[in-house]
Short mmCIF file of all heavy atoms in Angstrom, two decimals:
data_model
loop_
_atom_site.label_atom_id
_atom_site.label_comp_id
_atom_site.label_asym_id
_atom_site.label_seq_id
_atom_site.Cartn_x
_atom_site.Cartn_y
_atom_site.Cartn_z
N PHE G 1 206.64 -207.65 127.50
CA PHE G 1 205.70 -206.88 128.34
C PHE G 1 206.47 -206.33 129.50
O PHE G 1 206.60 -206.93 130.57
CB PHE G 1 204.54 -207.74 128.79
CG PHE G 1 203.48 -207.01 129.49
CD1 PHE G 1 202.78 -205.95 128.89
CD2 PHE G 1 203.16 -207.29 130.81
CE1 PHE G 1 201.77 -205.24 129.59
CE2 PHE G 1 202.19 -206.60 131.48
CZ PHE G 1 201.51 -205.55 130.88
N ASN G 2 207.03 -205.13 129.29
CA ASN G 2 207.90 -204.55 130.31
C ASN G 2 207.54 -203.08 130.54
O ASN G 2 206.55 -202.59 129.91
CB ASN G 2 209.37 -204.64 129.87
CG ASN G 2 209.63 -204.11 128.48
OD1 ASN G 2 209.08 -203.08 128.09
ND2 ASN G 2 210.40 -204.85 127.71
N LYS G 3 208.23 -202.41 131.44
CA LYS G 3 207.86 -201.07 131.82
C LYS G 3 207.95 -200.08 130.63
O LYS G 3 207.12 -199.16 130.53
CB LYS G 3 208.72 -200.53 133.00
CG LYS G 3 210.19 -200.45 132.69
CD LYS G 3 210.94 -199.96 133.90
CE LYS G 3 212.45 -199.87 133.61
NZ LYS G 3 213.17 -199.42 134.83
N GLN G 4 208.92 -200.28 129.72
CA GLN G 4 209.04 -199.44 128.56
C GLN G 4 207.84 -199.56 127.65
O GLN G 4 207.26 -198.56 127.17
CB GLN G 4 210.35 -199.73 127.80
CG GLN G 4 211.60 -199.32 128.47
CD GLN G 4 212.09 -200.36 129.51
OE1 GLN G 4 211.52 -201.43 129.59
NE2 GLN G 4 213.11 -200.02 130.30
N TYR G 5 207.44 -200.79 127.39
CA TYR G 5 206.27 -201.02 126.53
C TYR G 5 205.02 -200.40 127.07
O TYR G 5 204.34 -199.65 126.36
CB TYR G 5 206.05 -202.55 126.35
CG TYR G 5 204.79 -202.88 125.61
CD1 TYR G 5 204.74 -202.85 124.21
CD2 TYR G 5 203.58 -203.20 126.29
CE1 TYR G 5 203.58 -203.16 123.54
CE2 TYR G 5 202.45 -203.52 125.61
CZ TYR G 5 202.41 -203.46 124.23
OH TYR G 5 201.25 -203.78 123.57
N LEU G 6 204.71 -200.68 128.38
CA LEU G 6 203.44 -200.19 128.97
C LEU G 6 203.45 -198.66 129.12
O LEU G 6 202.45 -198.00 128.95
CB LEU G 6 203.14 -200.92 130.24
CG LEU G 6 201.73 -200.68 130.80
CD1 LEU G 6 200.66 -201.10 129.78
CD2 LEU G 6 201.54 -201.45 132.11
N PHE G 7 204.64 -198.15 129.44
CA PHE G 7 204.77 -196.70 129.62
C PHE G 7 204.44 -195.94 128.34
O PHE G 7 203.64 -194.99 128.30
CB PHE G 7 206.19 -196.30 130.07
CG PHE G 7 206.34 -194.89 130.39
CD1 PHE G 7 205.82 -194.34 131.58
CD2 PHE G 7 206.99 -193.98 129.57
CE1 PHE G 7 205.99 -193.00 131.88
CE2 PHE G 7 207.14 -192.66 129.83
CZ PHE G 7 206.64 -192.14 131.02
N ILE G 8 204.97 -196.50 127.21
CA ILE G 8 204.68 -195.86 125.90
C ILE G 8 203.21 -196.04 125.58
O ILE G 8 202.57 -195.08 125.06
CB ILE G 8 205.53 -196.54 124.80
CG1 ILE G 8 207.00 -196.20 124.98
CG2 ILE G 8 205.10 -196.14 123.41
CD1 ILE G 8 207.99 -196.97 124.14
N LYS G 9 202.61 -197.17 125.84
CA LYS G 9 201.20 -197.42 125.49
C LYS G 9 200.27 -196.55 126.32
O LYS G 9 199.14 -196.26 125.89
CB LYS G 9 200.86 -198.90 125.71
CG LYS G 9 201.43 -199.83 124.70
CD LYS G 9 200.96 -199.54 123.27
CE LYS G 9 201.47 -200.52 122.25
NZ LYS G 9 200.95 -200.26 120.93
N THR G 10 200.66 -196.14 127.50
CA THR G 10 199.78 -195.30 128.33
C THR G 10 199.88 -193.81 128.06
O THR G 10 199.03 -193.04 128.50
CB THR G 10 200.10 -195.55 129.85
OG1 THR G 10 201.52 -195.24 130.08
CG2 THR G 10 199.83 -196.96 130.23
N ARG G 11 200.90 -193.37 127.35
CA ARG G 11 201.16 -191.94 127.24
C ARG G 11 200.00 -191.19 126.55
O ARG G 11 199.62 -190.08 126.98
CB ARG G 11 202.43 -191.66 126.53
CG ARG G 11 203.70 -192.03 127.21
CD ARG G 11 203.76 -191.54 128.69
NE ARG G 11 203.07 -192.44 129.60
CZ ARG G 11 202.82 -192.15 130.89
NH1 ARG G 11 203.16 -190.96 131.36
NH2 ARG G 11 202.23 -193.03 131.64
N ASN G 12 199.47 -191.71 125.52
CA ASN G 12 198.37 -191.04 124.78
C ASN G 12 197.02 -191.61 125.03
O ASN G 12 196.13 -191.46 124.19
CB ASN G 12 198.71 -191.03 123.27
CG ASN G 12 200.02 -190.30 122.97
OD1 ASN G 12 200.25 -189.23 123.52
ND2 ASN G 12 200.80 -190.88 122.08
N LYS G 13 196.84 -192.34 126.13
CA LYS G 13 195.62 -193.02 126.41
C LYS G 13 194.84 -192.27 127.57
O LYS G 13 195.19 -192.33 128.70
CB LYS G 13 195.86 -194.46 126.83
CG LYS G 13 196.44 -195.33 125.77
CD LYS G 13 195.34 -195.59 124.70
CE LYS G 13 195.87 -196.55 123.63
NZ LYS G 13 194.90 -196.81 122.61
N ASN G 14 193.80 -191.51 127.13
CA ASN G 14 192.99 -190.79 128.10
C ASN G 14 191.85 -191.67 128.52
O ASN G 14 190.66 -191.32 128.43
CB ASN G 14 192.46 -189.48 127.50
CG ASN G 14 191.85 -188.58 128.52
OD1 ASN G 14 192.18 -188.69 129.72
ND2 ASN G 14 190.93 -187.74 128.09
N VAL G 15 192.20 -192.87 128.98
CA VAL G 15 191.22 -193.83 129.56
C VAL G 15 191.78 -194.33 130.90
O VAL G 15 192.93 -194.09 131.23
CB VAL G 15 191.01 -195.02 128.62
CG1 VAL G 15 190.45 -194.62 127.28
CG2 VAL G 15 192.29 -195.82 128.46
N SER G 16 190.89 -194.96 131.65
CA SER G 16 191.34 -195.45 132.96
C SER G 16 192.37 -196.57 132.76
O SER G 16 192.35 -197.27 131.74
CB SER G 16 190.13 -195.95 133.75
OG SER G 16 189.67 -197.17 133.21
N ILE G 17 193.23 -196.74 133.75
CA ILE G 17 194.23 -197.79 133.65
C ILE G 17 193.56 -199.17 133.63
O ILE G 17 194.01 -200.09 133.00
CB ILE G 17 195.25 -197.68 134.79
CG1 ILE G 17 196.37 -198.76 134.63
CG2 ILE G 17 194.59 -197.78 136.16
CD1 ILE G 17 197.15 -198.65 133.35
N LYS G 18 192.40 -199.30 134.31
CA LYS G 18 191.67 -200.56 134.32
C LYS G 18 191.16 -200.85 132.89
O LYS G 18 191.37 -201.99 132.41
CB LYS G 18 190.50 -200.48 135.24
CG LYS G 18 189.40 -201.54 135.11
CD LYS G 18 189.80 -202.90 135.59
CE LYS G 18 188.72 -203.94 135.30
NZ LYS G 18 187.47 -203.62 135.95
N GLN G 19 190.65 -199.88 132.22
CA GLN G 19 190.15 -200.08 130.84
C GLN G 19 191.31 -200.44 129.89
O GLN G 19 191.13 -201.30 129.04
CB GLN G 19 189.43 -198.80 130.34
CG GLN G 19 188.86 -198.94 128.94
CD GLN G 19 188.09 -197.72 128.50
OE1 GLN G 19 187.76 -196.86 129.32
NE2 GLN G 19 187.84 -197.64 127.21
N LEU G 20 192.44 -199.89 130.11
CA LEU G 20 193.56 -200.20 129.26
C LEU G 20 194.02 -201.63 129.43
O LEU G 20 194.36 -202.31 128.47
CB LEU G 20 194.71 -199.21 129.50
CG LEU G 20 195.97 -199.35 128.62
CD1 LEU G 20 196.49 -198.02 128.17
CD2 LEU G 20 197.07 -200.17 129.36
N LEU G 21 194.06 -202.09 130.67
CA LEU G 21 194.53 -203.44 130.98
C LEU G 21 193.66 -204.56 130.40
O LEU G 21 194.13 -205.64 130.12
CB LEU G 21 194.71 -203.62 132.48
CG LEU G 21 195.81 -202.84 133.17
CD1 LEU G 21 195.86 -203.20 134.63
CD2 LEU G 21 197.18 -203.11 132.47
N ILE G 22 192.36 -204.23 130.26
CA ILE G 22 191.48 -205.29 129.71
C ILE G 22 191.27 -205.16 128.20
O ILE G 22 190.51 -205.92 127.59
CB ILE G 22 190.06 -205.29 130.41
CG1 ILE G 22 189.32 -203.99 130.22
CG2 ILE G 22 190.24 -205.64 131.87
CD1 ILE G 22 187.95 -204.02 130.84
N ASP G 23 192.07 -204.27 127.58
CA ASP G 23 192.02 -204.08 126.12
C ASP G 23 192.99 -205.10 125.51
O ASP G 23 194.24 -204.97 125.64
CB ASP G 23 192.43 -202.66 125.77
CG ASP G 23 192.36 -202.39 124.27
OD1 ASP G 23 192.18 -203.37 123.48
OD2 ASP G 23 192.47 -201.22 123.86
N ASN G 24 192.46 -206.16 124.84
CA ASN G 24 193.32 -207.19 124.28
C ASN G 24 194.21 -206.72 123.11
O ASN G 24 195.12 -207.45 122.74
CB ASN G 24 192.43 -208.34 123.81
CG ASN G 24 192.07 -209.29 124.94
OD1 ASN G 24 192.93 -209.83 125.60
ND2 ASN G 24 190.79 -209.55 125.09
N LYS G 25 193.95 -205.53 122.62
CA LYS G 25 194.80 -205.02 121.56
C LYS G 25 196.12 -204.42 122.18
O LYS G 25 197.08 -204.24 121.48
CB LYS G 25 194.06 -203.93 120.80
CG LYS G 25 192.89 -204.44 120.00
CD LYS G 25 192.16 -203.35 119.27
CE LYS G 25 190.92 -203.87 118.54
NZ LYS G 25 190.17 -202.80 117.88
N ILE G 26 196.04 -204.15 123.47
CA ILE G 26 197.20 -203.62 124.17
C ILE G 26 197.99 -204.73 124.79
O ILE G 26 199.21 -204.91 124.61
CB ILE G 26 196.81 -202.58 125.24
CG1 ILE G 26 196.02 -201.41 124.63
CG2 ILE G 26 198.06 -202.08 125.99
CD1 ILE G 26 196.80 -200.56 123.68
N VAL G 27 197.32 -205.55 125.59
CA VAL G 27 197.92 -206.69 126.30
C VAL G 27 196.89 -207.82 126.31
O VAL G 27 195.72 -207.61 126.56
CB VAL G 27 198.42 -206.30 127.68
CG1 VAL G 27 197.27 -205.71 128.56
CG2 VAL G 27 199.06 -207.47 128.37
N ALA G 28 197.34 -209.02 126.07
CA ALA G 28 196.45 -210.12 125.76
C ALA G 28 196.03 -210.93 127.04
O ALA G 28 196.93 -211.42 127.76
CB ALA G 28 197.12 -211.08 124.77
N GLY G 29 194.75 -211.03 127.25
CA GLY G 29 194.22 -212.09 128.14
C GLY G 29 194.25 -211.79 129.69
O GLY G 29 193.96 -212.70 130.44
N ILE G 30 194.57 -210.56 130.12
CA ILE G 30 194.57 -210.32 131.54
C ILE G 30 193.16 -210.46 132.12
O ILE G 30 192.93 -211.10 133.13
CB ILE G 30 195.12 -208.92 131.82
CG1 ILE G 30 196.59 -208.87 131.47
CG2 ILE G 30 194.93 -208.59 133.32
CD1 ILE G 30 197.25 -207.51 131.72
N GLY G 31 192.19 -209.85 131.43
CA GLY G 31 190.80 -210.01 131.89
C GLY G 31 190.46 -209.18 133.08
O GLY G 31 191.28 -208.51 133.71
N ASN G 32 189.18 -209.28 133.45
CA ASN G 32 188.66 -208.43 134.51
C ASN G 32 189.16 -208.80 135.93
O ASN G 32 189.58 -207.98 136.72
CB ASN G 32 187.15 -208.48 134.46
CG ASN G 32 186.53 -207.35 135.33
OD1 ASN G 32 186.90 -206.24 135.31
ND2 ASN G 32 185.53 -207.75 136.07
N ILE G 33 189.08 -210.05 136.26
CA ILE G 33 189.46 -210.50 137.59
C ILE G 33 190.91 -210.14 137.87
O ILE G 33 191.27 -209.52 138.89
CB ILE G 33 189.31 -212.02 137.75
CG1 ILE G 33 187.80 -212.39 137.71
CG2 ILE G 33 189.88 -212.49 139.06
CD1 ILE G 33 187.57 -213.91 137.68
N TYR G 34 191.79 -210.42 136.96
CA TYR G 34 193.21 -210.31 137.18
C TYR G 34 193.71 -208.84 137.06
O TYR G 34 194.69 -208.48 137.64
CB TYR G 34 194.01 -211.24 136.29
CG TYR G 34 193.54 -212.67 136.45
CD1 TYR G 34 192.86 -213.34 135.45
CD2 TYR G 34 193.72 -213.30 137.62
CE1 TYR G 34 192.37 -214.63 135.63
CE2 TYR G 34 193.28 -214.60 137.84
CZ TYR G 34 192.59 -215.25 136.85
OH TYR G 34 192.13 -216.56 137.04
N SER G 35 192.99 -208.03 136.33
CA SER G 35 193.30 -206.61 136.33
C SER G 35 192.92 -205.99 137.66
O SER G 35 193.71 -205.16 138.18
CB SER G 35 192.58 -205.89 135.16
OG SER G 35 191.16 -205.99 135.28
N ASN G 36 191.80 -206.35 138.25
CA ASN G 36 191.43 -205.87 139.58
C ASN G 36 192.44 -206.24 140.58
O ASN G 36 192.91 -205.42 141.40
CB ASN G 36 190.08 -206.45 139.97
CG ASN G 36 188.92 -205.65 139.45
OD1 ASN G 36 188.56 -204.62 139.96
ND2 ASN G 36 188.23 -206.18 138.44
N GLU G 37 192.86 -207.50 140.57
CA GLU G 37 193.82 -208.02 141.57
C GLU G 37 195.18 -207.36 141.37
O GLU G 37 195.86 -207.00 142.38
CB GLU G 37 193.94 -209.56 141.42
CG GLU G 37 192.69 -210.30 141.82
CD GLU G 37 192.41 -210.16 143.35
OE1 GLU G 37 193.22 -210.52 144.17
OE2 GLU G 37 191.31 -209.66 143.65
N SER G 38 195.62 -207.20 140.16
CA SER G 38 196.93 -206.64 139.89
C SER G 38 197.02 -205.17 140.36
O SER G 38 197.98 -204.70 140.92
CB SER G 38 197.26 -206.72 138.40
OG SER G 38 197.31 -208.06 137.97
N LEU G 39 195.96 -204.38 140.07
CA LEU G 39 195.94 -202.99 140.49
C LEU G 39 195.90 -202.88 141.97
O LEU G 39 196.52 -201.94 142.55
CB LEU G 39 194.73 -202.26 139.81
CG LEU G 39 194.84 -202.05 138.33
CD1 LEU G 39 193.47 -201.74 137.74
CD2 LEU G 39 195.82 -200.89 138.07
N PHE G 40 195.22 -203.78 142.68
CA PHE G 40 195.20 -203.75 144.11
C PHE G 40 196.61 -203.99 144.69
O PHE G 40 197.08 -203.30 145.56
CB PHE G 40 194.21 -204.77 144.68
CG PHE G 40 194.18 -204.83 146.16
CD1 PHE G 40 193.49 -203.90 146.90
CD2 PHE G 40 194.80 -205.88 146.84
CE1 PHE G 40 193.44 -203.93 148.27
CE2 PHE G 40 194.77 -205.95 148.23
CZ PHE G 40 194.10 -204.97 148.94
N ILE G 41 197.27 -205.01 144.13
CA ILE G 41 198.61 -205.35 144.65
C ILE G 41 199.56 -204.18 144.34
O ILE G 41 200.49 -203.90 145.17
CB ILE G 41 199.12 -206.63 143.92
CG1 ILE G 41 198.31 -207.83 144.44
CG2 ILE G 41 200.61 -206.86 144.23
CD1 ILE G 41 198.58 -209.13 143.65
N ALA G 42 199.41 -203.55 143.24
CA ALA G 42 200.26 -202.40 142.86
C ALA G 42 199.89 -201.13 143.62
O ALA G 42 200.69 -200.15 143.58
CB ALA G 42 200.20 -202.17 141.33
N GLY G 43 198.71 -201.10 144.27
CA GLY G 43 198.34 -199.90 145.00
C GLY G 43 197.86 -198.78 144.09
O GLY G 43 197.89 -197.59 144.49
N ILE G 44 197.34 -199.13 142.94
CA ILE G 44 196.92 -198.13 141.93
C ILE G 44 195.39 -198.17 141.82
O ILE G 44 194.78 -199.21 141.64
CB ILE G 44 197.56 -198.42 140.55
CG1 ILE G 44 199.06 -198.29 140.69
CG2 ILE G 44 197.02 -197.49 139.49
CD1 ILE G 44 199.85 -198.80 139.45
N ASN G 45 194.80 -196.98 141.95
CA ASN G 45 193.33 -196.87 141.78
C ASN G 45 192.95 -197.18 140.34
O ASN G 45 193.46 -196.60 139.43
CB ASN G 45 192.86 -195.47 142.18
CG ASN G 45 191.34 -195.37 142.28
OD1 ASN G 45 190.62 -195.63 141.32
ND2 ASN G 45 190.84 -194.98 143.45
N PRO G 46 191.97 -198.12 140.14
CA PRO G 46 191.60 -198.51 138.79
C PRO G 46 191.02 -197.40 137.96
O PRO G 46 190.94 -197.45 136.72
CB PRO G 46 190.61 -199.63 138.97
CG PRO G 46 190.12 -199.47 140.37
CD PRO G 46 191.25 -198.89 141.16
N GLU G 47 190.50 -196.34 138.58
CA GLU G 47 189.89 -195.23 137.88
C GLU G 47 190.85 -194.17 137.39
O GLU G 47 190.50 -193.27 136.68
CB GLU G 47 188.82 -194.56 138.76
CG GLU G 47 187.62 -195.48 139.03
CD GLU G 47 186.51 -194.73 139.70
OE1 GLU G 47 186.69 -194.22 140.82
OE2 GLU G 47 185.40 -194.67 139.10
#
């Protein structure tokens, strides 16, 4: 789970980054609480 993997997975995804992070088919088990917290720490708007 590195920058190359996630960069490729986001290229053709016309969904919010928050929605992508809670998709278990993309990345397993992050869930709602931790996606919110991670996006805040990264300074990225979830929408």
Side-chain angles (χ1 to χ4, degrees):
F1 185 61
N2 53 41
K3 63 181 180 181
Q4 290 83 8
Y5 172 82
L6 193 57
F7 186 75
I8 291 170
K9 288 297 182 180
T10 57
R11 291 312 85 189
N12 297 318
K13 293 290 183 180
N14 190 25
V15 298
S16 71
I17 185 60
K18 163 73 183 302
Q19 184 176 342
L20 183 139
L21 291 182
I22 62 175
D23 183 349
N24 277 306
K25 295 177 183 177
I26 303 293
V27 56
I30 294 178
N32 192 45
I33 294 173
Y34 304 111
S35 60
N36 275 284
E37 293 293 302
S38 299
L39 288 163
F40 179 76
I41 292 171
I44 297 170
N45 190 302
E47 294 189 298

